[in-house]
């Protein structure tokens, strides 16, 4: 990750320069899920870390049921400002389609060393979103990462994706976002629950 070289060059037992992690921990880290109706509907799960949004594409979206494991494909880091993007990506461009900020909030790692957890492929964290809350894990398997809810007071068998289909920032459905941004309304509507 981006602070690796900085840390490699320093012995923090000797220098009083900051290691970088404790300072970051004092500031709340952004969490966002963007519902994205591109060629296929998916949910982009993003966690702020080291100045970027670590990103996973979750084809079926998150489940609050701890017995359900959702495939999460690691994709490229995104800029922090991307967390505010809700609108239309022009057809023919990368990811062309409609994007909704489906959930937003902050997150906290549950282990002290996030870098180590990511390398090990087992990142436990707590979400403080409008929709998703409580303890979760991203675990890496041979087939990719899995996003899984831990058992706690926020675990539920209810399908949060259909129960709460609207934007966390505008309260709009995908078709409404497409409409006001001159996107493909018919295509966007495929990602909304049937009326
Ligand atoms: Mn996407």
């Amino acid at each position: 990750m981006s602070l690796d070289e900085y840390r490699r060059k320093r012995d923090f037992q000797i220098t009083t320069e900051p290691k970088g992690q404790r300072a970051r921990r004092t500031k709340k880290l952004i969490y966002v899920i963007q519902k994205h109706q591109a060629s296929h509907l998916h949910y982009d799960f993003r966690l702020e870390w080291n100045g970027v949004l670590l990103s996973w594409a979750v084809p079926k979206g998150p489940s609050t049921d701890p017995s359900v494991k959702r495939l999460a494909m690691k994709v490229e880091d995104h800029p922090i400002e991307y967390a505010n993007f809700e609108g239309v990506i022009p057809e023919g461009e990368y990811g062309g389609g409609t994007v909704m900020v489906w959930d937003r909030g902050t997150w906290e790692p549950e282990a002290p060393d996030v870098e180590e957890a990511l390398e090990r492929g087992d990142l436990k964290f707590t979400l403080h979103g409008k929709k998703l809350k409580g303890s979760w894990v991203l675990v890496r398997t041979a087939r990719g990462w899995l996003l899984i809810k831990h058992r706690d007071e926020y675990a539920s068998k209810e399908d949060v994706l259909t129960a709460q289909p609207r934007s966390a920032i505008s309260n709009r459905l995908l078709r409404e976002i497409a409409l006001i941004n001159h996107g493909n309304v018919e295509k966007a509507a495929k990602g909304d629950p049937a009326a």
Side-chain angles (χ1 to χ4, degrees), residues 140-187:
R140 193 174 53 222
T141 72
R143 291 178 51 236
W145 293 76
L146 298 173
L147 177 65
I148 309 165
K149 181 77 190 78
H150 281 143
R151 292 182 195 282
D152 63 15
E153 67 203 280
Y154 301 107
S156 169
K157 294 273 184 195
E158 183 190 59
D159 179 4
V160 66
L161 304 179
T162 52
Q164 300 187 61
R166 290 179 176 272
S167 166
I169 59 171
S170 68
N171 203 41
R172 295 187 175 109
L173 293 169
L174 279 169
R175 61 175 170 269
E176 295 165 341
I177 295 165
L179 185 66
I180 62 167
N181 291 285
H182 314 291
N184 185 332
V185 176
E186 197 181 333
K187 177 182 164 186

Side-chain angles (χ1 to χ4, degrees), residues 47-62:
L47 299 175
E48 178 187 1
W49 188 249
N50 278 344
V52 297
L53 295 173
L54 305 178
S55 299
W56 289 261
V58 184
K60 292 185 176 177

Side-chain angles (χ1 to χ4, degrees), residues 36 42 44 46:
H36 185 185
H42 61 274
D44 290 302
R46 309 190 199 277

Side-chain angles (χ1 to χ4, degrees), residues 1 3 11 34 44 52 62 66 74 83 106-107 181:
M1 306 235 94
L3 288 177
D11 184 343
Q34 280 153 320
D44 290 302
V52 297
K74 190 83 177 69
T106 61
W107 76 283
N181 291 285

Side-chain angles (χ1 to χ4, degrees), residues 63-93:
S63 171
T64 54
D65 181 345
S67 68
V68 176
K69 300 170 171 66
R70 288 285 158 85
L71 183 65
M73 294 173 294
K74 190 83 177 69
V75 297
E76 75 274 22
D77 297 344
H78 277 54
I80 298 287
E81 310 90 272
Y82 205 89
N84 301 317
F85 180 71
E86 180 172 278
V88 165
I89 301 170
E91 295 299 331
E93 297 302 307

